[in-house]
Amino acid sequence: MDAFSDLRFFALLMKEGSLAAAAQQMGITPPAASRRLAQLEHRLGVRLLHRTTRRMALTPEGESYLLEGTRILADLDALERTVAGARSTPRGLIKLAATLGFGRVHLAPALSAFAQAYPEVEVQLHLTDRPINLVEQGFDAAVRFGDLPDSRLTARRLRANRRVLCAAPSYLARAGTPQQPADLLGHQCIVIRESDETYGTWHLSQGPRQETVKVRGMLSTNDGGAATTWALDGRGVLLRSEWDVAPHLATGQLIAVLPAWQLPPADVMLVYPTRSDLSAKTRALVDFLGTWFARNTLLRPQRQIHHRQGDGVGCPATCSV
């Protein structure tokens, strides 16, 4: 028997007032209860009770054991209620990771609303351009884009999102408009350094056709906002998520390049470690963000994207996104 079990036995014995009554409550025989008490006293090396055929009286050691033991058991019960309650009531610290641009623009407002709805949950938002290992780095969840390669994670799609190639009209007028993916090899391409293995490698498809192009350019960065600024300045062709460049495409500040070609999807995903006993705080965050992004668009109201046809000097056309 462990120490907590012994404490509970002794507290029950004193509450019931006799070995027979305690044995009945425990579903054992009185001799078994007597042996349990003897084993406890033997383990502690002290006598806890003075016993006669009619009554039991605490020894000084027994009185101390009961008093302190009752306090310890009360603390343990309170701890277990707190831990068990965390599974049903959202509370405590939750750590969430996201990329810099998306986190600042879209996730921060959502988390502000979440904090108002769940005041007992403390939120730590970590924005970074570096890959995050949720399991090893102790994060509860992260916002990612595209496919989910880690089988240890569960994902919930927050919003559909696609990637687009685009450039400023001034750049296309100067350098011409790519007509095929291979044409990108002759263009200045603005590259976002998200990871070494994908750096500068763009994958395009058109029906069954698949093209992979290793692009180059004079400008690269780990920040999507900086890359978009360069594209607006006419420094080259940019591959960017629609949520980031749609306003510029809508106003014609950027023009879609190779619009007939598709890029790998970049759906906004909330990922979290796969567990059967997901905490209440994480469940609340998953459900809240799912509802938030279903109700709040990532894009501005304008719904037109400009495409440049021909060699970069023709009139732009429009199509819906």
Side-chain angles (χ1 to χ4, degrees), residues 12-188:
L12 176 65
L13 174 59
M14 298 313 299
K15 177 184 176 182
E16 296 298 325
S18 71
L19 284 168
Q24 185 177 17
Q25 287 294 324
M26 297 173 65
I28 60 177
T29 64
S34 181
R35 287 194 299 271
R36 175 75 181 273
L37 176 59
Q39 290 169 355
L40 171 58
E41 291 178 326
H42 178 74
R43 182 174 68 81
L44 296 176
V46 296
R47 182 176 291 277
L48 299 175
L49 293 173
H50 295 299
R51 299 190 297 276
T52 67
T53 56
R54 294 186 176 183
R55 62 185 297 271
M56 296 186 303
L58 288 166
T59 66
E61 293 80 8
E63 185 174 357
S64 176
Y65 185 69
L66 178 63
L67 180 64
E68 292 299 317
T70 300
R71 181 187 58 78
I72 291 171
L73 289 175
D75 289 344
L76 178 62
D77 290 340
L79 174 61
E80 290 184 344
R81 285 194 301 270
T82 299
V83 173
R87 298 184 61 186
S88 57
T89 302
R91 62 165 58 96
L93 172 65
I94 191 164
K95 296 175 65 178
L96 177 65
T99 57
L100 295 166
F102 188 87
R104 284 194 301 262
V105 176
H106 295 291
L107 195 55
L111 292 177
S112 179
F114 176 79
Q116 183 176 3
Y118 295 96
E120 294 188 66
V121 179
E122 177 187 352
V123 178
Q124 286 186 2
L125 175 60
H126 181 71
L127 301 183
T128 178
D129 61 291
R130 304 297 299 173
I132 290 291
N133 187 309
L134 270 71
V135 176
E136 295 180 3
Q137 294 179 252
F139 282 90
D140 296 286
V143 174
R144 293 182 178 172
F145 299 88
D147 296 332
L148 180 67
D150 194 333
S151 61
R152 296 175 299 173
L153 302 179
T154 299
R156 174 165 176 172
R157 191 177 80 164
L158 300 179
R159 285 300 299 262
N161 180 49
R162 65 189 181 101
R163 295 183 174 99
V164 295
L165 290 175
C166 55
S170 60
Y171 174 82
L172 296 176
R174 182 174 70 252
T177 300
Q179 301 298 311
Q180 297 294 329
D183 295 344
L184 294 169
L185 295 173
H187 280 264
Q188 288 291 319

Side-chain angles (χ1 to χ4, degrees), residues 287-307:
D287 293 340
F288 185 91
L289 291 183
T291 301
W292 173 273
F293 284 103
R295 294 176 177 174
N296 295 275
T297 179
L298 298 181
L299 309 178
R300 293 182 181 177
Q302 299 98 326
R303 303 296 296 168
Q304 298 295 312
I305 286 183
H306 293 265
H307 294 298

Side-chain angles (χ1 to χ4, degrees), residues 105-319:
V105 176
H106 295 291
L107 195 55
L111 292 177
S112 179
F114 176 79
Q116 183 176 3
Y118 295 96
E120 294 188 66
V121 179
E122 177 187 352
V123 178
Q124 286 186 2
L125 175 60
H126 181 71
L127 301 183
T128 178
D129 61 291
R130 304 297 299 173
I132 290 291
N133 187 309
L134 270 71
V135 176
E136 295 180 3
Q137 294 179 252
F139 282 90
D140 296 286
V143 174
R144 293 182 178 172
F145 299 88
D147 296 332
L148 180 67
D150 194 333
S151 61
R152 296 175 299 173
L153 302 179
T154 299
R156 174 165 176 172
R157 191 177 80 164
L158 300 179
R159 285 300 299 262
N161 180 49
R162 65 189 181 101
R163 295 183 174 99
V164 295
L165 290 175
C166 55
S170 60
Y171 174 82
L172 296 176
R174 182 174 70 252
T177 300
Q179 301 298 311
Q180 297 294 329
D183 295 344
L184 294 169
L185 295 173
H187 280 264
Q188 288 291 319
C189 294
I190 301 167
V191 177
I192 301 176
R193 292 177 174 266
E194 294 179 317
S195 64
D196 292 338
E197 63 177 335
T198 60
Y199 169 66
T201 302
W202 292 355
H203 304 278
L204 299 93
S205 63
Q206 188 181 66
R209 294 180 60 187
Q210 304 285 329
E211 297 282 348
T212 298
V213 183
K214 181 69 173 179
V215 300
R216 298 181 61 84
M218 300 301 293
L219 294 173
S220 65
T221 178
N222 65 351
D223 181 72
T228 301
T229 297
W230 291 336
L232 290 167
D233 287 343
R235 302 305 177 195
V237 180
L238 173 67
L239 188 160
R240 196 74 177 110
S241 286
E242 183 183 25
W243 71 262
D244 182 69
V245 296
H248 307 303
L249 293 167
T251 60
Q253 293 174 289
L254 294 176
I255 303 295
V257 173
L258 298 175
W261 289 80
Q262 303 297 313
L263 293 148
D267 291 346
V268 184
M269 312 291 288
L270 181 67
V271 300
Y272 46 94
T274 300
R275 298 191 186 101
S276 59
D277 58 341
L278 198 64
S279 66
K281 61 186 179 182
T282 303
R283 287 198 307 272
L285 180 71
V286 171
D287 293 340
F288 185 91
L289 291 183
T291 301
W292 173 273
F293 284 103
R295 294 176 177 174
N296 295 275
T297 179
L298 298 181
L299 309 178
R300 293 182 181 177
Q302 299 98 326
R303 303 296 296 168
Q304 298 295 312
I305 286 183
H306 293 265
H307 294 298
R308 176 63 59 90
Q309 304 292 335
D311 61 1
V313 297
C315 297
T318 61
C319 74

